[in-house]
Amino acid sequence: NSPTFNTTVPLAPGSITIVTLPVTARNWTANLVANNAVHAFASDEFVAYTVNREPFTSDAALGLPVDTMNTEYLVMDYKPLVGAQFNVFAGFDNTTVTITPKTAMVGRPAGVPFTVVLQRGQGYFAKSATGSPSNTLTGTIISADRPVGLTNGEGCTNVPVGTFACDHTYEVAQPVQSWGKSVLVSNLPNRPRGSIYRILASQDGTTVTQDGVFLASLNRTQFFETPILPGNHIFAANKPIFVAQFMTGQGSPGAVSGDPAMGNMIPTEQYLRSYTFS
């Protein structure tokens, strides 16, 4: 809507083209709607990776096409030190979004649903009310009457709490409709001692196993957080789940450089046969 930034770039198959967005695109205020979303489009299919960059802190995510956006999401983040964050944005005009905060947000109490109406290109930015690790927004419900997108994470966190350093983590959320019942996870490079995982349930009565061994019983919006877990594993459930991997800070035992980062663990039901790596 009334764009203030336009650019056209040629893409060569199999190569990466970097597009720098205007710094004003990051001007979001908690509990307010802003017209800051950026629409990328082309005559043929393409992939977009998004990177948030600041000195000493950065994270990246795979952008999702408008035709894969959907109407239900559950927020995923870690234990915030300066505030958990999410941004729900609309691909279509007159989209009504209902949000039920898991914990208190800036201007919004915990557990009380509220609605916002978004036009195409608009987003609603939310932030946890405090920077306390207990003020996680994981499990916050996002539902809409038209397809929307969601980014989530936090401004700064230690993984685990008390471990150097405090960094921004960020992901483009996967709609609940794309979740699955089997999720494979693997050790990250430079993290021989492993990562922390959060397993989030979309339905009541969800039984989660790790490598075939009972792990947790969860209801809708509840999550189970593992300790630092080394090696490769299979998380499975009787109902759809979502798993996020959190890379530990460089101060954790055995860590080799790098700081907290967040990654979506894609369920096996969503696996494809070919990928372009960036």
Side-chain angles (χ1 to χ4, degrees), residues 118-253:
L118 302 177
Q119 306 304 318
R120 179 175 182 266
Q122 291 183 333
Y124 170 81
F125 178 66
K127 187 175 180 179
S128 58
T130 71
S132 167
S134 63
N135 202 182
T136 176
L137 294 177
T138 296
T140 294
I141 301 170
I142 310 292
S143 62
D145 62 351
R146 296 184 179 188
V148 293
L150 178 72
T151 61
N152 48 206
E154 55 277 308
C156 184
T157 187
N158 295 142
V159 182
V161 171
T163 302
F164 182 82
C166 188
D167 267 45
H168 160 66
T169 71
Y170 155 80
E171 261 292 3
V172 172
Q174 302 280 330
V176 170
Q177 290 87 345
S178 71
W179 291 15
K181 297 178 181 179
S182 176
V183 182
L184 307 181
V185 301
S186 180
N187 250 21
L188 288 167
N190 299 328
R191 290 298 184 274
R193 302 284 185 92
S195 300
I196 290 175
Y197 300 91
R198 278 192 171 186
I199 302 103
L200 180 60
S202 62
Q203 299 179 29
D204 291 343
T206 299
T207 300
V208 181
T209 63
Q210 177 189 319
D211 306 322
V213 178
F214 173 80
L215 189 63
S217 292
L218 303 173
N219 287 326
R220 175 171 164 81
T221 76
Q222 291 182 329
F223 66 91
F224 178 86
E225 182 179 317
T226 72
I228 299 176
L229 187 64
N232 308 322
H233 303 280
I234 300 175
F235 294 113
N238 62 329
K239 298 179 180 181
I241 56 172
F242 195 78
V243 179
Q245 181 184 49
F246 295 92
M247 187 172 80
T248 58
Q250 61 178 284
S252 61

Side-chain angles (χ1 to χ4, degrees), residues 2 27 56 84 93 134 144 158 192 264 267 269 275:
S2 304
N27 291 341
F56 308 111
D93 286 338
S134 63
N158 295 142
N264 290 339
E269 292 93 329
Y275 298 84

Side-chain angles (χ1 to χ4, degrees), residues 252-263:
S252 61
V256 182
S257 74
D259 282 322
M262 175 182 176

Side-chain angles (χ1 to χ4, degrees), residues 1 27-36 87-90 95 97 99 108 114-126:
N1 296 321
N27 291 341
W28 300 92
T29 301
N31 197 32
L32 289 178
V33 171
N35 190 34
N36 285 354
N87 196 322
V88 55
F89 49 92
T95 298
V97 183
I99 300 169
R108 302 288 179 175
F114 66 96
T115 61
V116 293
V117 177
L118 302 177
Q119 306 304 318
R120 179 175 182 266
Q122 291 183 333
Y124 170 81
F125 178 66

